[in-house]
């Protein structure tokens, strides 16, 4: 897949965020995944852009991360620039992920019964 194809694919992911009521004005933790090519030079360029850069678990790629406000403008500017940057270093841009800010509330944890019922077999 060509790097710039990722720009179009991002529409689908952004739609998931919109469907969940996300505010695209909020900055959130975003990870970008890149494989193959000249990682050292690409990593230096990404650091100049304010990204923290680390190798993937198998050291066959890099992960660039920072807090960003995602959305349509981000997709057509920042994401497009990252794809072009990857092209210039012969690296495949392998996608991105971002934190959901407005996750549904976690279910209430069940309350422990306590020691008394364990002894007498009754609930308080």
């Amino acid at each position: 897949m060509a790097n710039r194809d990722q720009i179009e694919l991002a529409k689908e992911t952004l739609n998931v965020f919109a469907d969940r009521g996300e505010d695209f004005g909020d900055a959130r933790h975003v990870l970008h995944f890149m494989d193959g090519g000249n990682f050292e030079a690409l990593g230096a360029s990404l650091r100049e852009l304010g990204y923290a850069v680390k190798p993937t678990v198998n050291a066959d790629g890099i992960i660039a991360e920072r807090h960003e406000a995602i959305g349509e403008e981000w997709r057509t500017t920042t994401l497009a620039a990252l794809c072009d940057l990857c092209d210039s270093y012969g690296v495949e841009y392998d996608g991105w992920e971002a934190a959901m800010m407005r996750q549904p509330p976690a279910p209430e944890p069940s309350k422990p019964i306590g020691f008394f019922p364990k002894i007498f077999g009754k609930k308080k």
Side-chain angles (χ1 to χ4, degrees):
M1 171 181 300
N3 287 333
R4 296 210 42 106
D5 290 346
Q6 291 288 345
I7 300 164
E8 287 304 309
L9 285 175
K11 283 183 184 179
E12 296 172 31
T13 306
L14 291 173
N15 285 337
V16 171
F17 279 80
D19 290 347
R20 298 223 169 115
E22 288 296 304
D23 178 355
F24 291 117
D26 291 343
R28 65 191 72 234
H29 187 228
V30 182
L31 301 171
H32 300 275
F33 304 95
M34 298 143 195
D35 298 320
N38 187 344
F39 294 141
E40 190 172 314
L42 175 61
S45 292
L46 289 166
R47 284 183 193 91
E48 287 178 15
L49 295 172
Y51 288 92
V53 178
K54 62 185 176 187
T56 58
V57 172
N58 296 327
D60 57 353
I62 57 174
I63 300 169
E65 58 186 306
R66 72 178 182 185
H67 284 78
E68 303 174 309
I70 63 172
E72 185 60 21
E73 183 179 337
W74 170 85
R75 184 185 73 83
T76 58
T77 57
T78 302
L79 194 56
L82 285 175
C83 288
D84 290 344
L85 186 63
C86 286
D87 282 340
S88 70
Y89 289 105
V91 173
E92 180 182 347
Y93 183 84
D94 198 25
W96 60 279
E97 65 181 45
M100 284 270 184
M101 303 297 285
R102 289 164 188 75
Q103 298 176 12
E108 289 289 321
S110 59
K111 294 183 180 180
I113 296 174
F115 190 69
F116 184 80
K118 290 180 183 176
I119 296 173
F120 299 103
K122 299 179 184 178
K123 292 185 180 181
K124 287 185 176 181

